[in-house]
Amino acid sequence: MSKLDYNDWMKQALAEAQKALPVDVPVGAIVVDSEGNCIGRGFNTRERDQNSLGHAELNALLEASQAIGSWRLTDCTLFVTLEPCPMCASAINQARMKQVVFGSFDVDFGGCGGWVSVHQKPNPSLSVIGGVLEAECGQLLATFFKNLRLKR
């Protein structure tokens, strides 16, 4: 995949993130197979569903697994607007994914190098690329949290 493809897919992940608003933190994710087909989409649903597992990445992984009939998502790439947390990074490893491409870095809770590097074990071949459309992804989050503070 070229850098242009990364930007295009991240824009789709940003569109997914918009679906979480105004209730949930706007994070969106897309799973793309080795042939360049979107096989899974997801956005945060924690507040909406009152489920701590309602992360965009997990929702996208579930949809992708159902689409192909397997939990193994080898040769697939996950595009997500925010660096996956340790829980999601572990799930990505468990799914045997090939690559993760994320937008904003998360120094407080990131599991792909921001806070910890869960992605390196047990799958050291997992490729991680951060900072794709970082400004756009970060702005969406910043606006959400600014509006949340104004409501308090």
Side-chain angles (χ1 to χ4, degrees):
M1 286 186 197
S2 70
K3 183 69 171 173
L4 178 61
D5 294 328
Y6 288 175
N7 289 342
D8 291 344
W9 287 117
M10 191 60 72
K11 287 177 184 174
Q12 288 195 40
L14 279 163
E16 287 299 308
Q18 293 283 342
K19 295 176 182 178
L21 295 171
V23 177
D24 278 285
V25 176
V27 177
I30 302 283
V31 177
V32 179
D33 69 14
S34 61
E35 296 177 16
N37 301 305
C38 176
I39 59 170
R41 297 174 180 276
F43 56 91
N44 271 355
T45 58
R46 289 186 308 171
E47 294 295 331
R48 184 191 78 185
D49 297 344
Q50 291 301 298
N51 180 355
S52 61
L53 301 177
H55 289 219
E57 300 93 301
L58 298 183
N59 290 332
L61 292 177
L62 177 60
E63 186 172 291
S65 293
Q66 290 172 340
I68 66 168
S70 175
W71 61 268
R72 290 178 184 87
L73 299 174
T74 28
D75 295 325
C76 291
T77 298
L78 176 75
F79 291 87
V80 60
T81 57
L82 180 65
E83 179 181 350
C85 72
M87 175 180 67
C88 291
S90 293
I92 291 161
N93 271 327
Q94 288 293 319
R96 314 293 197 267
M97 296 199 80
K98 173 183 164 184
Q99 185 175 45
V100 176
V101 179
F102 66 85
S104 294
F105 290 84
D106 188 346
V107 297
D108 294 324
F109 296 105
C112 292
W115 177 52
V116 295
S117 296
V118 174
H119 68 286
Q120 293 176 336
K121 293 189 178 190
N123 184 5
S125 63
L126 177 66
S127 169
V128 176
I129 298 170
V132 175
L133 297 184
E134 183 176 9
E136 293 90 331
C137 294
Q139 184 60 49
L140 182 60
L141 290 164
T143 300
F144 172 79
F145 285 112
K146 178 182 175 186
N147 290 338
L148 188 64
R149 284 190 298 275
L150 291 173
K151 290 179 183 176
R152 290 183 182 172

